[in-house]
Amino acid sequence: MKIANQNILISGASIAGPTLAFWLAKYGFNVTVVERSKALRLGGQNLDVRDAGRTIAQMMGIEEEILAANTGEIGLQFVNKDNEVAAAFPREGANNFTSEAEILRGDLVNILYKHTKDKVKYVFGKYITGIDQQKDSVNVTFSDGETQVFDLLIAADGVRSTTRQILFAEEPKVKFTGLYNAWYTIPKAKTDTKWARWYTAVGSRVILIRPDNQGTTRASFSFLSEDKGYQNLSSKEQKAILKGKLSGAGWEADRLMEEIDKNDDVYLDGISQIHAPKWFNGRAGMIGDAAYCPTPLTGMGTTLAIVGAYLLAGELSRYEKHEDAFKAYEERMRPFVEKVQKLPPGVPWLAHPKTKFGVSVLNAVAGIVASNFVKKISKLFSGKQKESTDHGIELPDFKNN
């Protein structure tokens, strides 16, 4: 039987896009992935593959590779300005911040690419600039002026997706959480260990330093702020803002400030959720962060991307009409997304106290939680959802469609 809507274009070669490509190719579709960058973007911080996402990784045959690429992080420590440990959350603990499947974003991207590159066409260095939908096709214009015709188009190009803008204009809402976060890689220092170290400074600022498996260290700096559009500024302007915010924070803030000017890969963004009343428009749609970013505060962004990709590919393999597949997908996926996007009360404000007293209270409460008393309070610090067998989502077996 001939596959309906056989030629599919995916925009974005991060997590959701290649995962969708993997399953579509497995079901016999012809898949093209277009990526704005000239090569795979292998930078980025830690991700963890949890719950249903871990189950799908097993089904894809990549779980062992993910575990083998573990960052080596053994848990999270809350430290004070003198680097003294106020609380510790081991990886194996009940209130774990660190997952067994903790992996650098770039390593996961590489694994997904390796498992799809022979069955999927990848096009780097271009992006979508125009979409003209017809009854039986989608005519796509790319940044180099080339036009091509596909049966379906799926945007999987991130929280700041330009493809989403073309398809849905301002209908999807970008909900800013009141938190800015910067990420970059820095040289390893003598103070760095296999523990992630969380330091809270007055002025609603948090520094997080984490080990990796590449001989370097991953630095993260977050601060509360109203929406000032910092993500739209030039790299030079962003670096100046970050140095200003880090100034006087104490602990290893000076180290992070010094490394900012030496680093060409400082990423600063406002932590936001995407709330879209619809994910599909005709023969085009969106998945992953482009459609329903939950923010890193949930710890579930990677899992949402993987689960969404698996379910969409499965529904497209099941239904002859794309409208039926899109409807079935949304009925399965939207309740899961809405559940994951609900942030625990007080996140991110309770984890970013403004005063010295607030910092001392935070560290004291972290110590209580680390001692296994009032375990449920742990959600206030990491914002991560509790692990469960299914996290509220059913994973159908599409093999016998």
Side-chain angles (χ1 to χ4, degrees):
M1 175 178 159
K2 182 181 178 182
I3 298 175
N5 304 306
Q6 188 170 19
N7 298 308
I8 300 180
L9 174 65
I10 300 170
S11 176
S14 184
I15 308 299
T19 304
L20 177 61
F22 175 94
W23 288 106
L24 287 174
K26 189 176 183 67
Y27 298 138
F29 291 89
N30 296 326
V31 185
T32 300
V33 177
V34 61
E35 166 58 44
R36 178 185 295 260
S37 300
K38 294 181 179 179
L40 288 177
R41 294 183 297 110
L42 299 179
Q45 299 291 310
N46 299 46
L47 304 174
D48 52 21
V49 184
R50 293 176 174 243
D51 302 335
R54 181 82 173 266
T55 301
I56 294 169
Q58 293 171 358
M59 296 162 62
M60 296 171 71
I62 63 173
E63 182 189 30
E64 292 303 317
E65 290 179 67
I66 291 173
L67 295 176
N70 190 283
T71 61
E73 184 175 292
I74 60 175
L76 171 70
Q77 294 175 332
F78 278 71
V79 300
N80 62 21
K81 61 182 178 63
D82 298 315
N83 205 40
E84 297 169 337
V85 178
F89 298 87
R91 186 174 68 188
E92 297 79 13
N95 298 310
N96 61 329
F97 172 89
T98 302
S99 165
E100 180 189 20
E102 199 84 32
I103 185 173
L104 293 176
R105 177 196 164 278
D107 287 346
L108 181 55
V109 168
N110 215 19
I111 290 171
L112 291 169
Y113 177 71
K114 185 178 73 172
H115 284 266
T116 53
K117 63 183 178 66
D118 294 333
K119 298 179 181 179
V120 171
K121 179 181 179 182
Y122 280 86
V123 180
F124 293 98
K126 56 198 290 187
Y127 54 93
I128 296 170
T129 57
I131 299 169
D132 179 20
Q133 296 206 52
Q134 304 297 319
K135 180 181 177 180
D136 299 318
S137 64
V138 182
N139 301 332
V140 177
T141 302
F142 295 100
S143 53
D144 60 357
E146 182 186 7
T147 60
Q148 285 185 258
V149 179
F150 298 90
D151 294 319
L152 299 174
L153 163 64
I154 303 297
D157 42 5
V159 67
R160 305 293 175 185
S161 170
T162 57
T163 313
R164 180 186 66 223
Q165 175 71 25
I166 297 171
L167 286 171
F168 299 100
E170 304 303 323
E171 184 179 80
K173 300 305 177 185
V174 182
K175 183 181 178 182
F176 181 58
T177 64
L179 184 71
Y180 279 97
N181 209 134
W183 299 269
Y184 52 109
T185 304
I186 61 178
K188 192 172 182 178
K190 291 182 179 180
T191 52
D192 296 334
T193 67
K194 291 185 178 181
W195 287 89
R197 292 178 296 145
W198 176 302
Y199 168 72
T200 309
V202 296
S204 303
R205 297 173 290 179
V206 168
I207 295 172
L208 180 61
I209 293 179
R210 309 182 73 172
D212 64 22
N213 58 350
Q214 299 180 2
T216 51
T217 295
R218 307 291 161 141
S220 169
F221 173 56
S222 58
F223 57 92
L224 295 182
S225 171
E226 61 186 27
D227 189 355
K228 296 187 176 181
Y230 290 149
Q231 67 274 5
N232 300 320
L233 300 178
S234 67
S235 176
K236 182 178 180 181
E237 291 170 322
Q238 288 181 348
K239 288 181 176 183
I241 288 167
L242 288 174
K243 288 190 290 185
K245 294 290 184 180
L246 278 164
S247 180
W251 191 53
E252 299 200 21
D254 288 347
R255 172 190 175 192
L256 267 65
M257 289 173 64
E258 291 174 6
E259 293 299 333
I260 284 176
D261 284 330
K262 302 175 185 177
N263 200 302
D264 294 327
D265 195 23
V266 177
Y267 180 76
L268 172 65
D269 200 1
I271 301 301
S272 303
Q273 291 188 337
I274 302 299
H275 293 267
K278 61 183 181 183
W279 297 335
F280 301 98
N281 176 6
R283 289 182 163 271
M286 55 185 180
I287 64 168
D289 281 355
Y292 37 72
C293 176
T295 79
L297 300 172
T298 66
M300 290 290 290
T302 304
T303 292
L304 272 190
I306 292 172
V307 170
Y310 172 77
L311 291 179
L312 180 57
E315 299 296 2
L316 286 170
S317 73
R318 174 181 289 183
Y319 291 97
E320 185 174 347
K321 294 182 179 180
H322 67 277
E323 298 96 335
D324 294 335
F326 289 167
K327 181 181 178 182
Y329 170 77
E330 190 155 350
E331 287 176 351
R332 287 189 191 276
M333 191 68 185
R334 191 170 285 276
F336 182 44
V337 168
E338 291 174 351
K339 181 178 180 180
V340 170
Q341 285 189 327
K342 290 180 180 178
L343 296 177
V347 172
W349 301 280
L350 286 180
H352 293 75
K354 187 175 182 179
T355 66
K356 185 176 180 181
F357 175 74
V359 171
S360 65
V361 170
L362 178 75
N363 287 338
V365 174
I368 294 172
V369 175
S371 65
N372 290 322
F373 180 68
V374 195
K375 295 179 180 179
K376 291 183 179 179
I377 298 178
S378 64
K379 284 188 177 182
L380 300 180
F381 303 105
S382 71
K384 293 201 173 186
Q385 311 285 350
K386 283 291 182 182
E387 300 230 14
S388 65
T389 54
D390 61 4
H391 205 79
I393 187 73
E394 178 188 357
L395 299 178
D397 184 352
F398 295 108
K399 288 187 296 186
N400 298 318
N401 291 347

